Amino acid sequence: MIKTPQEILKDIFGFDSFRGQQKEIIDHAIAGGDALVLMPTGGGKSLCYQIPALCREGVGVVISPLIALMRDQVEALNQLGVRARVLNSSLTVNEARAVEQQLKQGELDLVYVSPEKLLTDSFLNQLSQCQLSLFAIDEAHCVSQWGHDFRPEYLKLSVLKKHFTHVPKLALTATADGPTRNDIIERLQLQEGRLFVSGFDRPNIKYAIVAKDNAKDKLLKFIEDHHVGDSGIIYCMSRARVESTAKWLRQEGFKALHYHAGLDKKQRQENQDQFLKDEGIIMVATIAFGMGIDKPDVRFVAHLDLPKSLESYYQETGRAGRDGLKSNAWLAYGLEDVAKISNFIEISNAGEDQKRVERQKLDALLGYCETTRCRRQVLLEYFDEKLADPCGYCDTCLEPMKCFDGTVATQKALSCVYRTGERFGASYIIDVLLGNESERITQFGHDKITTYAIGKEYSKNLWRSIFRQLVARRLLLVDIEGHGGYRLGENCRAIFQGEETVLLREEVFSSKSSRTKNKSPKQRKVATLLDSIKDESLFQELRDHRLELARLQKVPPFVIFHDTTLVEMAQTRPRTNADFSQLSGVGKAKLERYSDSFLKIINKID
Ligand code: ADP
Ligand code: ZN
């Protein structure tokens, strides 16, 4: 008897109800329809094809671009008692043969293949002799040349339509801008299918941005306050900075690894594996790291340097909290980054149109950084989505920015840029405003101009903040030829003429970071993740047990149980098998495999 989607959800996956559009998508696929599914990371895309594959006769073929990703997903399915296998270049000839044999005999529910493997004539031929329940094309944006993850082999997936007309095809992705969307539909020939679009909001992620002075101290304090013992990713712009940051974190007593495209393949693989399989590793990386990292319990993503655009920021921060538990997105931003990125844009070989687009993207990003409104609202608006009310859960919502009338300050800053010849950057201009003495200032005669020493009412840090805000509003333009010097923007006139009031945000600057130095990580409070857990030591014990089981089976801990399940376990303390089976994420297979050993730990306490 084939089960219903609801029964499969409960019995196999251990969940009580579908989320968002899952049910609708699953019903559509079971009925044999094609679809493009756009759903944010953590939205629950996998169930959308896994459940129809289990409901329909035959094997479901999942096409996925990354070996690590396939491996983890298959691992997780096997833990649930689902008959799934991978087929890609990581298998030995004998292993591959065995899987192909199982496929032929109809012994598999799901097979995960790389596009290279799928597209061989022999494999297509084999498939044509199997009963197929569906095709799922994961990370479908790889088909788009516009996207950053373009994979040429994905283009050839159009053969599926030709060879397997009546097998439903689901393309899934979390990247959803218009051009990419159209590309996917066209290339995979999904014109007759349905489009399912879920909102972009990631409600469990808390967004926060800090000014980039003492950035490392601030980062350390952020980690110590919120993320001791957690997994996280720290993005940096350059390889050198990645390496030095990882080294520094290790010296501070954290388990930090690094990852960038300059490492040899083996090293990259090892670091990535350790990040997935161990608990509490901080990965310091360039943007080379991330696509296909399916780790559900990344608790924070920090940017020590400005990302390239709001899209990149959304993608990168989106790797936090896939499991739906609270997570943080933290960014330090400063004027140097703005200059650097502007410079990249100007010196690139792109045409003028392309450059204009990139400048606009940078502006949008700065606007986001400097906003006094709810960050989530601004972020979602960028993706054409409206959030009716402020989220109440980002930095600007939690600590509303104070504003002040910065008209005069703005006039002073702009005229100082003008008087010094529109070729200097923030540091120099601020020195002039503050009336500081320096050889350069004397040499240029800028101690004689009318704007010298007219800005003593503000600190250097506040001036830097003011300059950031002026750049974000395009009152100042970063000019490239003069090493990031400023020019006046076109909209300055109204300010000089006093026709416009400029409301600026007032930032609070702590002169020194208030973190407590020299605490060893061991003395720091562990498992800060879970404010809601009363008994932290129980949670820790459950987590250790999970890690032990994972090591024995050589799988990442999250394929045994997600943190969500462990948290619930620590909170509700199930005492019997019946209690245990009520936990979210516990289906029949996991109940059988794991309830005894976890119950033993819980039942030790009274
Ligand atoms: P995506 O691929 O869209 O990033 P996943 O398929 O990995 O998302 O799912 C994200 C998380 O949500 C996983 O931890 C998964 O187990 C969980 N999940 C998905 N659907 C449900 C559901 N209906 N009920 C409870 N948890 C779910
Ligand atoms: Zn908010």
Side-chain angles (χ1 to χ4, degrees):
M1 236 316 257
I2 287 181
K3 294 183 181 169
T4 65
Q6 184 66 47
E7 285 166 340
I8 292 178
L9 183 72
K10 182 68 192 157
D11 290 355
I12 295 183
F13 295 92
F15 300 140
D16 290 329
S17 53
F18 288 106
R19 277 189 189 157
Q21 293 181 295
Q22 278 178 333
K23 179 72 170 50
E24 221 181 321
I25 298 165
I26 290 167
D27 287 344
H28 176 73
I30 292 176
D34 293 345
L36 169 57
V37 174
L38 306 175
M39 206 183 261
T41 307
K45 284 184 283 299
S46 335
L47 289 188
C48 296
Y49 56 84
Q50 288 166 346
I51 291 185
L54 291 168
C55 282
R56 285 172 64 92
E57 291 287 346
V59 59
V61 181
V62 184
I63 298 138
S64 172
L66 289 165
I67 289 175
L69 189 66
M70 287 187 232
R71 201 186 48 204
D72 290 348
Q73 296 213 335
V74 164
E75 215 75 88
L77 286 166
N78 292 161
Q79 292 278 334
L80 297 170
V82 174
R83 301 172 305 169
R85 294 285 177 273
V86 281
L87 256 184
N88 58 37
S89 58
S90 72
L91 302 192
T92 63
V93 175
N94 281 340
E95 285 169 338
R97 203 169 287 146
V99 176
E100 287 171 14
Q101 190 63 24
Q102 289 179 302
L103 195 58
K104 199 163 150 197
Q105 307 197 321
E107 291 170 5
L108 295 182
D109 302 311
L110 281 154
V111 63
Y112 282 66
V113 298
S114 57
E116 294 84 350
K117 172 73 192 177
L118 176 85
L119 292 163
T120 57
D121 286 341
S122 67
F123 191 68
L124 285 172
N125 199 16
Q126 264 182 55
L127 281 185
S128 65
Q129 292 163 31
C130 298
Q131 176 148 25
L132 302 179
S133 56
L134 55 77
F135 284 102
I137 299 127
D138 206 4
E139 310 286 350
H141 61 280
C142 291
V143 88
S144 172
Q145 270 148 311
W146 306 116
H148 43 293
D149 298 324
F150 174 55
R151 307 251 156 170
E153 319 83 55
Y154 260 63
L155 283 181
K156 303 189 196 128
L157 293 177
S158 57
V159 300
L160 293 181
K161 182 78 180 174
K162 201 167 91 209
H163 286 282
F164 305 97
T165 320
H166 300 297
V167 181
K169 290 161 207 66
L170 297 181
L172 307 106
T173 175
T175 306
D177 63 7
T180 311
R181 199 184 291 192
N182 295 336
D183 258 10
I184 298 172
I185 294 176
E186 196 176 311
R187 309 239 186 237
L188 300 178
Q189 304 189 26
L190 297 173
Q191 291 88 345
E192 288 155 31
R194 272 187 67 182
L195 176 65
F196 293 93
V197 186
S198 309
F200 281 90
D201 190 20
R202 298 289 313 279
N204 60 319
I205 298 184
K206 177 183 167 188
Y207 299 97
I209 295 185
V210 303
K212 201 173 174 173
D213 49 282
N214 298 324
K216 276 163 110 185
D217 272 1
K218 287 181 182 171
L219 178 64
L220 210 52
K221 182 162 164 41
F222 162 73
I223 299 176
E224 286 179 341
D225 286 353
H226 305 286
H227 291 296
V228 173
D230 287 343
S231 297
I233 305 175
I234 298 174
Y235 283 110
C236 301
M237 215 186 283
S238 72
R239 294 175 186 181
R241 198 156 142 85
V242 161
E243 293 192 7
S244 63
T245 306
K247 191 169 159 204
W248 159 72
L249 281 173
R250 282 192 293 271
Q251 284 163 354
E252 290 287 341
F254 291 94
K255 289 199 278 183
L257 295 172
H258 64 283
Y259 189 105
H260 58 66
L263 296 181
D264 70 52
K265 205 171 160 205
K266 187 163 163 283
Q267 182 76 58
R268 267 193 325 225
Q269 190 63 49
E270 276 174 20
N271 288 4
Q272 176 173 324
D273 261 16
Q274 202 182 336
F275 178 68
L276 293 173
K277 291 207 174 142
D278 228 333
E279 304 259 25
I281 303 251
I282 299 176
M283 182 65 97
V284 188
T286 60
I287 52 169
F289 182 73
M291 214 270 279
I293 301 298
D294 213 2
K295 190 172 162 60
D297 54 356
V298 174
R299 292 271 73 85
F300 71 94
V301 170
H303 282 89
L304 259 184
D305 298 308
L306 206 57
K308 243 180 67 197
S309 62
L310 266 185
E311 280 111 327
S312 317
Y313 172 79
Y314 176 80
Q315 284 257 341
E316 285 148 26
T317 54
R319 290 176 186 136
R322 231 170 217 267
D323 54 12
L325 291 176
K326 280 186 184 173
S327 307
N328 279 302
W330 182 96
L331 162 75
Y333 111 99
L335 286 166
E336 312 74 30
D337 291 348
V338 181
K340 231 182 266 171
I341 295 183
S342 307
N343 197 23
F344 286 149
I345 297 174
E346 299 311 321
I347 62 174
S348 81
N349 293 325
E352 196 42 47
D353 283 350
Q354 172 82 26
K355 285 186 180 176
R356 189 170 329 116
V357 172
E358 296 199 357
R359 280 184 216 119
Q360 281 165 1
K361 288 188 173 190
L362 178 60
D363 288 345
L365 179 63
L366 296 182
Y368 172 76
C369 291
E370 288 296 352
T371 191
T372 48
R373 297 172 51 213
C374 165
R375 293 237 191 255
R376 198 178 311 275
Q377 281 183 319
V378 177
L379 187 59
L380 291 176
E381 268 167 29
Y382 186 73
F383 296 104
D384 291 328
E385 194 177 318
K386 264 220 141 17
L387 191 67
D389 298 308
C391 74
Y393 185 52
C394 64
D395 57 351
T396 46
C397 279
L398 290 171
E399 286 174 59
M401 279 291 160
K402 273 201 211 132
C403 292
F404 68 102
D405 182 344
T407 313
V408 174
T410 304
Q411 284 168 342
K412 287 180 179 178
L414 296 180
S415 66
C416 194
V417 168
Y418 180 70
R419 300 268 170 219
T420 48
E422 296 185 83
R423 56 204 172 99
F424 295 92
S427 305
Y428 185 86
I429 309 270
I430 292 170
D431 275 343
V432 176
L433 284 167
L434 291 175
N436 290 343
E437 287 169 25
S438 84
E439 230 171 82
R440 269 179 97 206
I441 291 180
T442 326
Q443 185 189 338
F444 288 117
H446 289 153
D447 48 350
K448 305 277 182 323
I449 58 179
T450 49
T451 53
Y452 185 72
I454 57 166
K456 289 188 166 180
E457 67 274 39
Y458 299 130
S459 69
K460 185 167 176 169
N461 272 335
L462 186 52
W463 274 118
R464 289 191 77 79
S465 159
I466 293 172
F467 273 89
R468 278 197 301 272
Q469 298 182 59
L470 300 183
V471 171
R473 290 167 191 221
R474 294 192 69 72
L475 285 165
L476 285 177
L477 306 176
V478 181
D479 198 27
I480 303 317
E481 281 141 39
H483 307 286
Y486 294 130
R487 281 182 293 126
L488 298 186
E490 281 159 21
N491 47 355
C492 280
R493 183 183 302 231
I495 311 278
F496 279 130
Q497 296 178 343
E499 290 165 3
E500 230 174 73
T501 317
V502 188
L503 219 50
L504 294 176
R505 45 188 270 182
E506 187 180 307
E507 283 181 57
V508 187
F509 298 97
S510 52
S511 52
K512 272 268 171 286
S513 121
S514 52
R515 78 183 188 90
T516 21
K517 286 225 163 165
N518 303 328
K519 258 199 218 170
S520 86
K522 285 240 164 62
Q523 294 166 300
R524 294 169 187 146
K525 199 166 162 281
V526 195
T528 35
L529 152 72
L530 313 148
D531 343 328
S532 51
I533 297 182
K534 281 178 255 103
D535 189 347
E536 216 175 78
S537 69
L538 173 61
F539 177 74
Q540 200 51 51
E541 237 182 293
L542 297 171
R543 197 151 103 141
D544 290 346
H545 180 55
R546 176 179 66 175
L547 186 61
E548 198 181 317
L549 291 171
R551 289 211 168 124
L552 279 173
Q553 300 178 53
K554 297 198 171 58
V555 297
F558 56 81
V559 310
I560 309 259
F561 283 127
H562 276 188
D563 280 355
T564 31
T565 308
L566 281 202
V567 172
E568 208 184 313
M569 218 183 282
Q571 277 170 340
T572 62
R573 297 189 181 176
R575 300 288 180 170
T576 63
N577 273 337
D579 297 344
F580 202 84
S581 71
Q582 294 302 311
L583 298 171
S584 163
V586 177
K588 285 193 171 138
K590 289 197 172 171
L591 180 68
E592 207 161 285
R593 281 178 98 148
Y594 300 123
S595 68
D596 284 352
S597 67
F598 281 93
L599 284 176
K600 214 159 135 193
I601 296 175
I602 300 168
N603 281 325
K604 251 188 358 211
I605 46 177
D606 38 39

